[in-house]
Amino acid sequence: MHILLTGGTGFIGSHTAVDLMEHGHEVVLYDNLCNSSEDVVEAIEKITGRRPAFVRGDIRDKALLADTMRRYGIEAVVHFAGLKAVGESCAKPLEYYDNNVNGTLIVLDAMRETGVKRIIFSSSATVYGTPQKLPLTEDHPVGTGITNPYGRTKGMIEEILADCCRADDKLTAICLRYFNPIGAHASGLIGENPNGIPNNLLPYVARVASGKLACIQVFGNDYDTVDGTGVRDYIHVVDLARGHTAALEKSTVVSGWHAVNLGTGRGSSVLEIIHAFEKACGHTLAYKIVDRRPGDVAACWADPKKALEFLGWKAELTLEEMCSSAWRYECLHKDAEAS
Ligand code: NAD
Ligand code: UD1
C-alpha cells in the first residue's frame, strides 16, 4: 500500500514508518518539522535499509497535500500531524484549533479531491475525560469532561470523521485512542526528543538519568492508587506502531468509523516507572513529592480487548523494554537535544 504519514517525522510517526516499511508498504512522510527534524529520515533509512520519501509541508497547505497524494499514488493516510502540549493548548487555543481541527479538515478535503478513502487518526485516551470506570472501554462516554483545548481538538476530530463516514459509505476512518506511548526503537536511532523541559514523565525521567535535569518532581502521592502516585497505561511506541499497521490492513476490509484503544491493559504508578528506569540506567534517580498537577486524573488504563478482536493486535513489549530502549536513545542523543 502507498501510505501518506502526516507528522511522519515525529515520535510515533517515525516508529510507524519503520514498521510499515518492514511490512512491505511504501510510505511518504509529510511534515512541517515544527516539532521534529529531517535527520529522522536518515535514521529510518539506517534501520530499514530504504529511504522513505519525505515532503516538507504543512497540512494546511491543501495544494501541496493533494499534489503529494497524486504524485505518490496514495491509498491511505495515517494522520499524526498536530500540536500536543496540554499546557500550551490552554494558553494558545486558537493555534491548537487551527492546526489540529482546521488542519484535519484540509487533510480530508485533499483526500476527497484525490479519491483517498482510508484514514487512520491519532486520537488519545484524553477524549474519555475523567474515567467513570476502569478499565476504559471504547463505549465509555467521550467529550464531556475533557479538561483542555488539546483534548477537545481530539474529540472534535473524531466527530468530524464520524460525520464524513456517514456522508460517504466508501470512507473508512479508524481512530486509535493512544494511552501513554513511551520507549524508543531498539536501535536507539529514533525516539522521543521534546524541545525544552519535558512535560511528560518518561522524557523527564530520562533526562534526570543522564544528568541533564536534577530531580524528578512526582505530582502528588495522595491519590487512591497502589502507592498514592498517578497510575497510567504506558505502552511501548514500537507496539503502538504495530497497531497502525494492523489498522491499515483492517481498513482494506471494513468501511465506516471505528474507535479502538491502543494500550496494554495494565497500569503503572509514577514510582514504579522511576524504579523501572533505575534498573535500566543502573543508578538511583533523585525525586521529590510535590503538589498534584491540576487536571491530572488518579488512574487511567485501557481495556485492550477490542484491539485484539477488531485488529488482531495486542501489546507485547514489557515495561523493562520500554525503559531500556528509552535509555539507549537518551544515551545516543543526549548531546543533540535542545535545552
Ligand atoms: P510529535 O510532535 O513527535 O509528532 C507530530 C508531528 O507533526 C511533528 O513531527 C510535527 O512537526 C508535525 N506537525 C505538527 N503540526 C503540523 C502541521 N500543521 N503540518 C505538518 N506537520 C505538522 O508527536 P507524537 O507524540 O508523535 O504524536 C503524534 C500524534 O499522536 C499527535 O497527533 C498527538 O496528538 C497524538 N498523541 C500523542 C500521544 C503521546 O503521548 N505522544 C498521546 C496521544 C495522542
Ligand atoms: C498527558 C496529557 C494527555 C496527553 C498525554 C500524552 C495532561 C494532563 N495530560 O497525559 O492529554 O494525551 O500526556 O501526551 O497533561 N508526572 C509526574 N511528574 C512529571 C510528569 C508527570 O509525576 O514531571 C506524573 C503525572 O502526574 C501522571 C504521570 O506522571 O500521573 C504521567 O504523566 P504524563 O506523562 O504527563 O502523561 P498524562 O498526564 O497521562
Side-chain angles (χ1 to χ4, degrees), residues 91-107:
K92 297 180 178 174
L94 290 182
E95 278 81 351
Y96 273 68
Y97 288 116
D98 180 37
N99 202 85
N100 295 6
V101 180
N102 182 35
T104 303
L105 293 178
I106 294 167
V107 170

Side-chain angles (χ1 to χ4, degrees), residues 11-12 31-32 34-36 58-59 80 84 99 150 154 181:
F11 172 46
I12 304 170
D31 203 299
N32 67 2
C34 71
N35 198 35
S36 56
D58 195 290
I59 51 169
F80 298 102
K84 62 165 186 174
N99 202 85
Y150 162 73
K154 294 291 173 190

Side-chain angles (χ1 to χ4, degrees), residues 131-304:
Q132 293 171 12
K133 64 171 176 55
L134 289 169
L136 283 157
T137 49
E138 288 81 354
D139 58 4
H140 182 283
V142 159
T144 49
I146 302 179
T147 53
N148 57 78
Y150 162 73
R152 275 187 283 276
T153 68
K154 294 291 173 190
M156 286 176 193
I157 294 167
E158 285 204 1
E159 289 189 38
I160 290 167
L161 290 169
D163 282 337
C164 290
C165 287
R166 279 182 210 111
D168 177 356
D169 62 10
K170 297 208 168 49
L171 193 64
T172 309
I174 303 182
C175 299
L176 298 177
R177 294 178 179 159
Y178 310 156
F179 281 67
N180 289 61
I182 60 170
H185 189 264
S187 63
L189 292 172
I190 52 173
E192 189 174 16
N193 191 9
N195 289 325
I197 308 276
N199 294 309
N200 296 116
L201 180 64
L202 237 287
Y204 201 104
V205 168
R207 290 189 191 179
V208 171
S210 65
K212 274 188 286 166
L213 292 171
C215 179
I216 304 156
Q217 300 187 57
V218 176
F219 297 144
N221 68 347
D222 56 355
Y223 287 108
D224 182 17
T225 61
V226 56
D227 56 21
T229 67
V231 165
R232 297 291 183 275
D233 187 339
Y234 297 93
I235 173 167
H236 199 304
V237 66
V238 169
D239 270 334
L240 195 79
R242 290 177 37 245
H244 294 75
T245 306
L248 276 161
E249 282 159 11
K250 186 73 184 185
S251 74
T252 63
V253 293
V254 292
S255 61
W257 181 93
H258 307 270
V260 185
N261 288 338
L262 292 186
T264 66
R266 285 182 309 275
S268 304
S269 74
V270 176
L271 293 181
E272 284 166 347
I273 291 289
I274 292 174
H275 296 318
F277 210 95
E278 286 174 333
K279 276 199 192 141
C281 71
H283 58 87
T284 57
L285 300 174
Y287 69 85
K288 68 171 182 231
I289 309 292
V290 299
D291 286 347
R292 291 180 178 194
R293 180 171 66 179
D296 271 358
V297 299
C300 171
W301 68 87
D303 183 332

